[in-house]
Amino acid sequence: MLIVKKFGGTSVADKERIYNVARRCIEDYNKGNDVVVVLSAMGKYTDELIAMAQDINEKPPKREMDMLLSIGEQMSVALMGMAMNKLKIPAVSLNAFQVSMHTTSTHGNARLKRIDTERIRRELENRRIVIVTGFQGVNKYDDYTTLGRGGSDTTAVALAAALHADACEIYTDVDGIYTADPRKVKHARKLKEITYDEMLDLATLGAGVLHNRSVEMAKKYGVPLVVRSSLNNSEGTVVKEEVSVERMLISGVALDTDAVRIAVIGLKDVPGMAFRLFDILARRNINVDMILQSIGRSGTKDISFTVNQSDLDEAVAALEDSRARLGYKELHSERNIAKLSIVGAGMMSNPGVAAKMFESLYNENVNINMIATSEIRVTVIIQEKDGVRAMNAVHDAFDLSD
Ligand code: ASP
Ligand code: MG
């Protein structure tokens, strides 16, 4: 078997944990498997690097930023190689250049385009464990890129797809995917299985366990994922196309407090306004999430939408720059909001799911600002201060605990 094993920052945070990971990999290796290990930077090292950059220049060039951030993963793989060597197992660490992980050029948010597998294959044939840097890539200018925060998951899935791996295991500091963040929701329960689509929504909505692009890629290439803890042997959660257990109405509740809302008030009520507005943001690579447009009255309309906190300043600046062209009256932004979502493939065939969510929020006296739905999810924008209470109420209303 060829197994890709990915370990997050907490799993390699110190010497003891590095050895723990090395042993887990060696166990598979000793059974005769080919083992490819993908690592994140140790602990909070990426955050520390970001802080160092900020200290030098509060708006560092994105290229230099990637140059810096690529250090974190390179450090982990080298140390892992040393640990395995100490344990007398042949291993080799490789960075994005050595493998050749080709990405698009966008620094800080690059997408993997192609992975050369030749070097890895050769090392595996020589019975070495191959340890690969997560998160980083190389663009067509031969510069380092990074895949966005949490991007190592995506590296692992992409490698599993490129190598036609038999298994792709994502090790983290939690036991698997829960119905809600167990640190915030008392009755949260671990799921045995979840579909790609549900997981994709949960990942995008702030469940925080898997990088959403990794799930997108797993679905596209049909790579079954197992999410499990590096600190114990519990079974984890399988992410795949179809789940076999009886489907629950919803599989999870997610809370995202990173979202902020921007309201553009008093736009002219004519065709092309939405296009002009969102084109300005798209050109700056700003991801817009929920969009709400009011019904036009006396020739004007309002459009509000959410973006990620980190894009707020740039979005506001872009819209202010374009004020003359857009011709709106006012621009408001609101930071203290949260996005609460329920996700579940079961809602496709069951009416009343949204109403049930709204009822539980009403019972808690939580006001809803915006609503968005898709086939398998319902998302509401609420006040950030209500977030955790609302999340627990919704979780309990759907009886997701055992
Ligand atoms: N080290 C990177 C980060 O902290 C990538 C990852 O952990 O997946 O975002
Ligand atoms: Mg992660």
Side-chain angles (χ1 to χ4, degrees):
M1 286 227 306
L2 196 165
I3 308 173
V4 173
K5 299 167 93 70
K6 181 262 169 180
F7 295 86
T10 44
S11 304
V12 291
D14 55 33
K15 176 178 166 185
E16 196 186 320
R17 291 192 180 180
I18 287 179
Y19 272 106
N20 167 52
V21 167
R23 286 196 195 90
R24 282 192 94 130
C25 297
I26 289 170
E27 215 174 284
D28 282 331
Y29 172 87
N30 282 340
K31 287 181 193 150
N33 298 303
D34 288 331
V35 180
V36 175
V37 189
V38 176
L39 299 183
S40 295
M42 293 170 70
K44 299 246 170 279
Y45 197 66
T46 305
D47 292 328
E48 284 168 35
L49 291 171
I50 293 172
M52 279 163 85
Q54 291 290 326
D55 189 37
I56 295 278
N57 177 344
E58 57 303 334
K59 238 183 161 329
K62 290 186 170 165
R63 179 197 177 274
E64 303 310 328
M65 204 60 206
D66 282 352
M67 190 72 182
L68 180 70
L69 293 188
S70 64
I71 297 174
E73 274 64 19
Q74 187 151 330
M75 185 167 133
S76 321
V77 297
L79 292 171
M80 187 60 67
M82 295 176 195
M84 290 184 182
N85 172 269
K86 180 97 175 171
L87 297 171
K88 307 228 157 21
I89 297 294
V92 60
S93 65
L94 299 173
N95 67 15
F97 262 101
Q98 292 166 311
V99 173
S100 278
M101 304 239 202
H102 305 274
T103 70
T104 55
S105 329
T106 333
H107 287 290
N109 196 20
R111 283 179 177 262
L112 280 164
K113 289 203 302 195
R114 183 167 53 83
I115 297 180
D116 295 345
T117 53
E118 200 194 311
R119 174 78 190 264
I120 296 179
R121 291 250 181 240
R122 204 163 66 228
E123 302 290 357
L124 291 174
E125 266 158 35
N126 290 326
R127 279 302 285 155
R128 283 173 153 165
I129 294 181
V130 182
I131 312 157
V132 182
T133 48
F135 184 50
Q136 56 178 251
V138 181
N139 69 15
K140 65 179 176 205
Y141 308 109
D142 269 357
D143 282 330
Y144 271 117
T145 55
T146 57
L147 308 181
R149 297 306 306 271
S152 298
D153 296 337
T154 302
T155 308
V157 174
L159 267 172
L163 293 164
H164 306 289
D166 300 288
C168 182
E169 304 165 351
I170 310 285
Y171 288 84
T172 170
D173 54 348
V174 293
D175 287 352
I177 311 295
Y178 279 73
T179 51
D181 186 338
R183 286 164 304 188
K184 294 188 188 128
V185 174
K186 209 162 93 210
H187 299 130
R189 180 173 56 83
K190 190 175 82 184
L191 296 162
K192 269 204 166 65
E193 304 176 314
I194 187 168
T195 66
Y196 291 127
D197 289 329
E198 290 170 321
M199 190 61 236
L200 190 58
D201 270 346
L202 283 176
T204 310
L205 296 166
V209 182
L210 284 174
H211 194 225
N212 62 348
R213 255 196 250 146
S214 71
V215 185
E216 220 169 71
M217 193 168 301
K219 179 178 163 70
K220 183 165 167 198
Y221 295 101
V223 178
L225 300 180
V226 183
V227 178
R228 52 190 300 195
S229 168
S230 63
L231 307 171
N232 62 43
N233 275 317
S234 96
E235 244 176 55
T237 304
V238 178
V239 189
K240 55 187 190 177
E241 188 62 44
E242 288 277 347
V243 300
S244 45
V245 289
E246 199 192 334
R247 185 165 273 166
M248 295 175 305
L249 207 49
I250 70 168
S251 313
V253 183
L255 182 71
D256 175 2
T257 51
D258 274 348
V260 293
R261 189 184 53 205
I262 297 178
V264 188
I265 313 286
L267 286 157
K268 245 194 239 99
D269 193 11
V270 293
M273 263 347 240
F275 162 65
R276 266 190 244 166
L277 175 67
F278 292 112
D279 188 50
I280 289 167
L281 301 173
R283 280 171 195 280
R284 302 195 188 210
N285 262 316
I286 295 172
N287 241 329
V288 172
D289 187 36
M290 289 167 77
I291 300 176
L292 187 75
Q293 178 175 310
S294 69
I295 294 177
R297 58 188 137 60
S298 43
T300 71
K301 62 187 170 191
D302 309 331
I303 294 182
S304 39
F305 56 92
T306 61
V307 296
N308 209 288
Q309 184 118 35
S310 58
D311 286 333
L312 177 64
D313 292 343
E314 201 179 343
V316 168
L319 294 175
E320 272 167 0
D321 280 352
S322 312
R323 183 163 194 157
R325 206 157 78 82
L326 289 169
Y328 57 83
K329 294 202 182 87
E330 287 163 47
L331 190 65
H332 296 298
S333 53
E334 160 77 282
R335 283 173 189 272
N336 299 324
I337 58 158
K339 218 162 65 178
L340 178 69
S341 308
I342 56 173
V343 173
M347 65 177 85
M348 269 192 282
S349 44
N350 285 284
V353 172
K356 189 170 178 149
M357 179 188 197
F358 302 154
E359 183 189 15
S360 63
L361 293 173
Y362 165 63
N363 289 338
E364 282 289 316
N365 204 16
V366 171
N367 195 33
I368 300 173
N369 289 148
M370 282 167 107
I371 301 172
T373 62
S374 80
E375 267 189 325
I376 65 163
R377 78 165 160 115
V378 182
T379 300
V380 296
I381 296 290
I382 56 178
Q383 288 299 303
E384 189 166 346
K385 65 171 170 46
D386 294 333
V388 172
R389 191 165 49 93
M391 192 186 194
N392 275 280
V394 170
H395 190 273
D396 287 347
F398 283 95
D399 200 17
L400 291 177
S401 49
D402 284 309

Short mmCIF file of all heavy atoms in Angstrom, two decimals, residues 101-149:
data_model
loop_
_atom_site.label_atom_id
_atom_site.label_comp_id
_atom_site.label_asym_id
_atom_site.label_seq_id
_atom_site.Cartn_x
_atom_site.Cartn_y
_atom_site.Cartn_z
N MET A 101 6.44 20.97 -6.95
CA MET A 101 5.01 21.18 -6.75
C MET A 101 4.67 22.48 -7.44
O MET A 101 4.97 23.55 -6.93
CB MET A 101 4.70 21.37 -5.27
CG MET A 101 5.19 20.26 -4.43
SD MET A 101 3.78 19.59 -3.61
CE MET A 101 4.64 18.82 -2.29
N HIS A 102 4.10 22.37 -8.62
CA HIS A 102 3.84 23.57 -9.41
C HIS A 102 2.51 24.19 -9.01
O HIS A 102 1.50 23.51 -8.92
CB HIS A 102 3.78 23.21 -10.90
CG HIS A 102 5.02 22.52 -11.37
ND1 HIS A 102 6.14 23.20 -11.79
CD2 HIS A 102 5.34 21.20 -11.45
CE1 HIS A 102 7.08 22.33 -12.14
NE2 HIS A 102 6.62 21.11 -11.93
N THR A 103 2.55 25.51 -8.78
CA THR A 103 1.32 26.20 -8.41
C THR A 103 1.09 27.41 -9.32
O THR A 103 1.96 27.79 -10.09
CB THR A 103 1.38 26.75 -6.96
OG1 THR A 103 2.31 27.85 -6.93
CG2 THR A 103 1.81 25.68 -5.97
N THR A 104 -0.08 28.01 -9.15
CA THR A 104 -0.33 29.30 -9.80
C THR A 104 0.57 30.34 -9.14
O THR A 104 1.23 30.05 -8.14
CB THR A 104 -1.80 29.72 -9.60
OG1 THR A 104 -2.07 29.71 -8.20
CG2 THR A 104 -2.74 28.76 -10.29
N SER A 105 0.57 31.55 -9.66
CA SER A 105 1.53 32.54 -9.16
C SER A 105 1.07 33.32 -7.94
O SER A 105 1.88 33.95 -7.28
CB SER A 105 1.87 33.56 -10.24
OG SER A 105 1.81 33.00 -11.50
N THR A 106 -0.22 33.32 -7.64
CA THR A 106 -0.73 34.15 -6.54
C THR A 106 -0.06 33.84 -5.21
O THR A 106 -0.32 32.82 -4.60
CB THR A 106 -2.24 33.92 -6.32
OG1 THR A 106 -2.81 33.51 -7.53
CG2 THR A 106 -2.89 35.14 -5.73
N HIS A 107 0.75 34.76 -4.75
CA HIS A 107 1.41 34.55 -3.46
C HIS A 107 0.39 34.56 -2.33
O HIS A 107 -0.55 35.33 -2.35
CB HIS A 107 2.47 35.62 -3.23
CG HIS A 107 3.68 35.41 -4.08
ND1 HIS A 107 4.56 34.37 -3.88
CD2 HIS A 107 4.15 36.08 -5.16
CE1 HIS A 107 5.52 34.41 -4.79
NE2 HIS A 107 5.29 35.45 -5.59
N GLY A 108 0.61 33.69 -1.38
CA GLY A 108 -0.26 33.65 -0.20
C GLY A 108 -1.54 32.88 -0.41
O GLY A 108 -2.23 32.55 0.56
N ASN A 109 -1.87 32.60 -1.65
CA ASN A 109 -3.11 31.88 -1.89
C ASN A 109 -3.03 31.12 -3.22
O ASN A 109 -3.95 31.14 -4.02
CB ASN A 109 -4.26 32.90 -1.92
CG ASN A 109 -5.61 32.23 -1.79
OD1 ASN A 109 -5.69 31.10 -1.32
ND2 ASN A 109 -6.65 32.90 -2.24
N ALA A 110 -1.91 30.48 -3.43
CA ALA A 110 -1.68 29.79 -4.71
C ALA A 110 -2.45 28.49 -4.77
O ALA A 110 -2.82 27.92 -3.74
CB ALA A 110 -0.19 29.53 -4.87
N ARG A 111 -2.71 28.03 -5.99
CA ARG A 111 -3.36 26.74 -6.18
C ARG A 111 -2.39 25.76 -6.81
O ARG A 111 -1.66 26.13 -7.73
CB ARG A 111 -4.57 26.89 -7.10
CG ARG A 111 -5.74 27.48 -6.40
CD ARG A 111 -6.91 27.64 -7.34
NE ARG A 111 -8.04 28.15 -6.59
CZ ARG A 111 -9.02 27.39 -6.11
NH1 ARG A 111 -9.05 26.09 -6.35
NH2 ARG A 111 -9.98 27.91 -5.39
N LEU A 112 -2.44 24.54 -6.35
CA LEU A 112 -1.57 23.52 -6.95
C LEU A 112 -2.05 23.20 -8.35
O LEU A 112 -3.24 23.03 -8.59
CB LEU A 112 -1.61 22.25 -6.10
CG LEU A 112 -0.72 22.27 -4.86
CD1 LEU A 112 -1.13 21.18 -3.90
CD2 LEU A 112 0.74 22.13 -5.24
N LYS A 113 -1.12 23.16 -9.28
CA LYS A 113 -1.49 22.83 -10.66
C LYS A 113 -1.05 21.42 -11.03
O LYS A 113 -1.76 20.68 -11.68
CB LYS A 113 -0.83 23.82 -11.63
CG LYS A 113 -1.45 25.21 -11.55
CD LYS A 113 -1.21 26.00 -12.81
CE LYS A 113 0.27 26.14 -13.10
NZ LYS A 113 0.55 27.17 -14.10
N ARG A 114 0.15 21.08 -10.62
CA ARG A 114 0.70 19.79 -11.02
C ARG A 114 1.81 19.42 -10.05
O ARG A 114 2.55 20.28 -9.58
CB ARG A 114 1.28 19.94 -12.44
CG ARG A 114 1.84 18.69 -13.06
CD ARG A 114 2.09 18.92 -14.55
NE ARG A 114 2.90 20.09 -14.82
CZ ARG A 114 4.24 20.11 -14.77
NH1 ARG A 114 4.91 19.03 -14.50
NH2 ARG A 114 4.89 21.23 -15.03
N ILE A 115 1.91 18.14 -9.76
CA ILE A 115 3.00 17.68 -8.90
C ILE A 115 3.81 16.66 -9.67
O ILE A 115 3.25 15.71 -10.22
CB ILE A 115 2.44 17.03 -7.62
CG1 ILE A 115 1.66 18.06 -6.80
CG2 ILE A 115 3.57 16.44 -6.77
CD1 ILE A 115 1.07 17.51 -5.52
N ASP A 116 5.10 16.86 -9.76
CA ASP A 116 5.95 15.84 -10.37
C ASP A 116 6.12 14.71 -9.36
O ASP A 116 6.41 14.96 -8.20
CB ASP A 116 7.32 16.42 -10.72
CG ASP A 116 7.20 17.50 -11.78
OD1 ASP A 116 6.14 17.59 -12.42
OD2 ASP A 116 8.18 18.26 -11.97
N THR A 117 5.96 13.49 -9.82
CA THR A 117 6.03 12.38 -8.85
C THR A 117 7.31 11.57 -9.00
O THR A 117 7.57 10.67 -8.22
CB THR A 117 4.83 11.44 -9.04
OG1 THR A 117 4.76 11.04 -10.41
CG2 THR A 117 3.53 12.12 -8.63
N GLU A 118 8.12 11.92 -9.98
CA GLU A 118 9.27 11.09 -10.29
C GLU A 118 10.24 10.93 -9.11
O GLU A 118 10.62 9.83 -8.75
CB GLU A 118 9.99 11.74 -11.48
CG GLU A 118 10.90 10.80 -12.22
CD GLU A 118 11.82 11.59 -13.15
OE1 GLU A 118 11.29 12.45 -13.90
OE2 GLU A 118 13.04 11.36 -13.10
N ARG A 119 10.60 12.06 -8.53
CA ARG A 119 11.57 12.00 -7.43
C ARG A 119 11.01 11.18 -6.26
O ARG A 119 11.69 10.33 -5.69
CB ARG A 119 11.91 13.42 -6.97
CG ARG A 119 12.79 13.51 -5.74
CD ARG A 119 14.24 13.23 -6.06
NE ARG A 119 15.06 13.07 -4.87
CZ ARG A 119 15.79 14.05 -4.33
NH1 ARG A 119 15.80 15.25 -4.86
NH2 ARG A 119 16.52 13.82 -3.24
N ILE A 120 9.75 11.44 -5.91
CA ILE A 120 9.15 10.71 -4.80
C ILE A 120 9.12 9.22 -5.09
O ILE A 120 9.49 8.40 -4.26
CB ILE A 120 7.71 11.23 -4.52
CG1 ILE A 120 7.77 12.70 -4.07
CG2 ILE A 120 7.02 10.38 -3.47
CD1 ILE A 120 6.42 13.33 -3.79
N ARG A 121 8.70 8.87 -6.30
CA ARG A 121 8.65 7.46 -6.70
C ARG A 121 10.02 6.79 -6.55
O ARG A 121 10.14 5.67 -6.07
CB ARG A 121 8.20 7.32 -8.15
CG ARG A 121 6.74 7.69 -8.34
CD ARG A 121 5.92 6.45 -8.64
NE ARG A 121 4.55 6.80 -8.84
CZ ARG A 121 3.54 6.32 -8.09
NH1 ARG A 121 3.78 5.48 -7.11
NH2 ARG A 121 2.31 6.69 -8.32
N ARG A 122 11.03 7.51 -7.01
CA ARG A 122 12.37 6.95 -6.96
C ARG A 122 12.80 6.69 -5.51
O ARG A 122 13.36 5.64 -5.19
CB ARG A 122 13.33 7.94 -7.63
CG ARG A 122 14.60 7.29 -8.15
CD ARG A 122 15.32 8.18 -9.13
NE ARG A 122 15.83 9.38 -8.49
CZ ARG A 122 15.68 10.62 -8.98
NH1 ARG A 122 15.01 10.82 -10.09
NH2 ARG A 122 16.18 11.67 -8.34
N GLU A 123 12.49 7.65 -4.66
CA GLU A 123 12.86 7.48 -3.25
C GLU A 123 12.09 6.31 -2.61
O GLU A 123 12.62 5.54 -1.82
CB GLU A 123 12.59 8.77 -2.46
CG GLU A 123 13.32 10.00 -2.97
CD GLU A 123 14.83 9.95 -2.73
OE1 GLU A 123 15.32 8.97 -2.11
OE2 GLU A 123 15.52 10.89 -3.16
N LEU A 124 10.81 6.19 -2.98
CA LEU A 124 10.00 5.10 -2.43
C LEU A 124 10.53 3.75 -2.92
O LEU A 124 10.58 2.78 -2.16
CB LEU A 124 8.52 5.25 -2.83
CG LEU A 124 7.75 6.41 -2.19
CD1 LEU A 124 6.36 6.53 -2.80
CD2 LEU A 124 7.66 6.25 -0.67
N GLU A 125 10.94 3.72 -4.18
CA GLU A 125 11.50 2.47 -4.71
C GLU A 125 12.76 2.06 -3.96
O GLU A 125 13.03 0.88 -3.80
CB GLU A 125 11.81 2.62 -6.22
CG GLU A 125 10.65 2.14 -7.08
CD GLU A 125 10.70 2.76 -8.48
OE1 GLU A 125 11.80 2.96 -9.01
OE2 GLU A 125 9.60 3.03 -9.01
N ASN A 126 13.49 3.06 -3.50
CA ASN A 126 14.67 2.76 -2.69
C ASN A 126 14.33 2.50 -1.23
O ASN A 126 15.20 2.54 -0.36
CB ASN A 126 15.68 3.90 -2.79
CG ASN A 126 16.32 3.94 -4.16
OD1 ASN A 126 16.53 2.89 -4.79
ND2 ASN A 126 16.60 5.14 -4.67
N ARG A 127 13.06 2.28 -0.98
CA ARG A 127 12.54 1.96 0.37
C ARG A 127 12.87 3.05 1.39
O ARG A 127 13.26 2.78 2.53
CB ARG A 127 13.08 0.60 0.86
CG ARG A 127 12.32 -0.59 0.31
CD ARG A 127 10.84 -0.57 0.63
NE ARG A 127 10.53 -0.92 2.01
CZ ARG A 127 9.42 -0.53 2.64
NH1 ARG A 127 8.54 0.23 2.02
NH2 ARG A 127 9.19 -0.89 3.89
N ARG A 128 12.68 4.29 0.98
CA ARG A 128 12.80 5.38 1.94
C ARG A 128 11.42 5.92 2.29
O ARG A 128 10.52 5.91 1.44
CB ARG A 128 13.60 6.53 1.34
CG ARG A 128 15.08 6.25 1.32
CD ARG A 128 15.74 7.35 0.56
NE ARG A 128 17.11 7.55 0.99
CZ ARG A 128 17.98 8.25 0.28
NH1 ARG A 128 17.61 8.85 -0.84
NH2 ARG A 128 19.21 8.41 0.71
N ILE A 129 11.29 6.41 3.50
CA ILE A 129 10.11 7.19 3.84
C ILE A 129 10.34 8.59 3.27
O ILE A 129 11.43 9.15 3.44
CB ILE A 129 9.90 7.27 5.37
CG1 ILE A 129 9.57 5.88 5.92
CG2 ILE A 129 8.78 8.26 5.71
CD1 ILE A 129 9.32 5.84 7.43
N VAL A 130 9.37 9.12 2.57
CA VAL A 130 9.54 10.44 1.95
C VAL A 130 8.77 11.48 2.76
O VAL A 130 7.56 11.33 2.99
CB VAL A 130 9.05 10.43 0.49
CG1 VAL A 130 9.29 11.79 -0.15
CG2 VAL A 130 9.76 9.33 -0.29
N ILE A 131 9.47 12.50 3.21
CA ILE A 131 8.84 13.52 4.07
C ILE A 131 8.78 14.82 3.26
O ILE A 131 9.81 15.37 2.87
CB ILE A 131 9.69 13.75 5.34
CG1 ILE A 131 10.05 12.40 5.98
CG2 ILE A 131 8.94 14.63 6.33
CD1 ILE A 131 11.28 12.48 6.86
N VAL A 132 7.57 15.29 3.03
CA VAL A 132 7.38 16.42 2.12
C VAL A 132 6.82 17.64 2.86
O VAL A 132 5.95 17.51 3.73
CB VAL A 132 6.40 16.02 0.99
CG1 VAL A 132 6.22 17.17 -0.01
CG2 VAL A 132 6.87 14.77 0.27
N THR A 133 7.30 18.81 2.51
CA THR A 133 6.77 20.06 3.08
C THR A 133 5.33 20.29 2.62
O THR A 133 5.05 20.26 1.43
CB THR A 133 7.58 21.26 2.58
OG1 THR A 133 7.72 21.15 1.15
CG2 THR A 133 8.96 21.33 3.21
N GLY A 134 4.44 20.54 3.56
CA GLY A 134 3.09 20.95 3.20
C GLY A 134 3.08 22.43 2.88
O GLY A 134 4.11 23.12 3.02
N PHE A 135 1.95 22.94 2.41
CA PHE A 135 1.69 24.38 2.38
C PHE A 135 2.42 25.16 1.28
O PHE A 135 1.95 26.17 0.81
CB PHE A 135 2.03 24.95 3.77
CG PHE A 135 1.77 26.40 4.03
CD1 PHE A 135 0.54 26.97 3.73
CD2 PHE A 135 2.75 27.18 4.63
CE1 PHE A 135 0.31 28.32 4.03
CE2 PHE A 135 2.53 28.53 4.92
CZ PHE A 135 1.31 29.08 4.62
N GLN A 136 3.58 24.69 0.86
CA GLN A 136 4.37 25.50 -0.08
C GLN A 136 4.34 24.93 -1.49
O GLN A 136 4.06 23.76 -1.72
CB GLN A 136 5.81 25.62 0.40
CG GLN A 136 6.50 24.29 0.63
CD GLN A 136 7.96 24.49 1.06
OE1 GLN A 136 8.87 24.23 0.32
NE2 GLN A 136 8.16 24.98 2.27
N GLY A 137 4.64 25.79 -2.44
CA GLY A 137 4.74 25.38 -3.83
C GLY A 137 5.73 26.27 -4.54
O GLY A 137 6.42 27.09 -3.92
N VAL A 138 5.82 26.08 -5.85
CA VAL A 138 6.72 26.87 -6.67
C VAL A 138 5.92 27.38 -7.86
O VAL A 138 5.17 26.62 -8.46
CB VAL A 138 7.88 25.98 -7.19
CG1 VAL A 138 8.83 26.81 -8.03
CG2 VAL A 138 8.60 25.31 -6.04
N ASN A 139 6.08 28.66 -8.20
CA ASN A 139 5.34 29.16 -9.36
C ASN A 139 6.22 29.18 -10.61
O ASN A 139 7.39 28.78 -10.56
CB ASN A 139 4.68 30.51 -9.06
CG ASN A 139 5.69 31.63 -8.90
OD1 ASN A 139 6.86 31.50 -9.27
ND2 ASN A 139 5.25 32.74 -8.33
N LYS A 140 5.68 29.67 -11.71
CA LYS A 140 6.42 29.57 -12.97
C LYS A 140 7.64 30.47 -13.01
O LYS A 140 8.46 30.37 -13.90
CB LYS A 140 5.48 29.85 -14.15
CG LYS A 140 4.94 31.26 -14.18
CD LYS A 140 4.05 31.47 -15.39
CE LYS A 140 3.44 32.84 -15.36
NZ LYS A 140 2.20 32.97 -16.08
N TYR A 141 7.74 31.38 -12.06
CA TYR A 141 8.94 32.22 -11.99
C TYR A 141 9.99 31.60 -11.07
O TYR A 141 10.98 32.25 -10.73
CB TYR A 141 8.59 33.62 -11.48
CG TYR A 141 7.45 34.26 -12.25
CD1 TYR A 141 6.20 34.42 -11.66
CD2 TYR A 141 7.63 34.67 -13.57
CE1 TYR A 141 5.15 34.99 -12.37
CE2 TYR A 141 6.59 35.23 -14.29
CZ TYR A 141 5.35 35.39 -13.69
OH TYR A 141 4.32 35.94 -14.39
N ASP A 142 9.73 30.38 -10.63
CA ASP A 142 10.62 29.71 -9.68
C ASP A 142 10.67 30.42 -8.34
O ASP A 142 11.71 30.45 -7.68
CB ASP A 142 12.05 29.60 -10.25
CG ASP A 142 12.23 28.30 -11.01
OD1 ASP A 142 11.28 27.49 -11.05
OD2 ASP A 142 13.33 28.09 -11.56
N ASP A 143 9.57 31.01 -7.95
CA ASP A 143 9.48 31.61 -6.63
C ASP A 143 8.62 30.72 -5.74
O ASP A 143 7.72 30.03 -6.22
CB ASP A 143 8.82 32.99 -6.71
CG ASP A 143 9.79 34.05 -7.21
OD1 ASP A 143 11.01 33.90 -6.97
OD2 ASP A 143 9.32 35.00 -7.85
N TYR A 144 8.90 30.78 -4.45
CA TYR A 144 8.06 30.06 -3.50
C TYR A 144 6.67 30.68 -3.45
O TYR A 144 6.53 31.90 -3.51
CB TYR A 144 8.63 30.14 -2.08
CG TYR A 144 9.60 29.04 -1.75
CD1 TYR A 144 10.93 29.34 -1.45
CD2 TYR A 144 9.18 27.72 -1.71
CE1 TYR A 144 11.82 28.33 -1.12
CE2 TYR A 144 10.07 26.71 -1.38
CZ TYR A 144 11.39 27.02 -1.09
OH TYR A 144 12.26 26.03 -0.77
N THR A 145 5.67 29.83 -3.33
CA THR A 145 4.31 30.29 -3.08
C THR A 145 3.80 29.53 -1.86
O THR A 145 4.40 28.53 -1.46
CB THR A 145 3.37 29.95 -4.26
OG1 THR A 145 3.45 28.54 -4.51
CG2 THR A 145 3.74 30.72 -5.51
N THR A 146 2.71 30.01 -1.27
CA THR A 146 2.04 29.20 -0.24
C THR A 146 0.56 29.10 -0.59
O THR A 146 0.03 29.90 -1.36
CB THR A 146 2.20 29.81 1.17
OG1 THR A 146 1.68 31.14 1.16
CG2 THR A 146 3.65 29.81 1.60
N LEU A 147 -0.07 28.08 -0.03
CA LEU A 147 -1.42 27.71 -0.47
C LEU A 147 -2.54 28.31 0.38
O LEU A 147 -3.68 27.92 0.24
CB LEU A 147 -1.57 26.18 -0.43
CG LEU A 147 -0.50 25.35 -1.15
CD1 LEU A 147 -0.82 23.87 -1.03
CD2 LEU A 147 -0.43 25.75 -2.62
N GLY A 148 -2.21 29.24 1.26
CA GLY A 148 -3.22 29.78 2.17
C GLY A 148 -3.14 29.04 3.49
O GLY A 148 -2.72 27.89 3.55
N ARG A 149 -3.55 29.73 4.57
CA ARG A 149 -3.43 29.15 5.90
C ARG A 149 -4.11 27.79 5.96
O ARG A 149 -5.20 27.61 5.43
CB ARG A 149 -4.03 30.08 6.96
CG ARG A 149 -3.35 31.42 7.13
CD ARG A 149 -1.84 31.33 7.38
NE ARG A 149 -1.43 30.49 8.49
CZ ARG A 149 -1.30 30.91 9.74
NH1 ARG A 149 -1.56 32.15 10.05
NH2 ARG A 149 -0.90 30.08 10.69
#
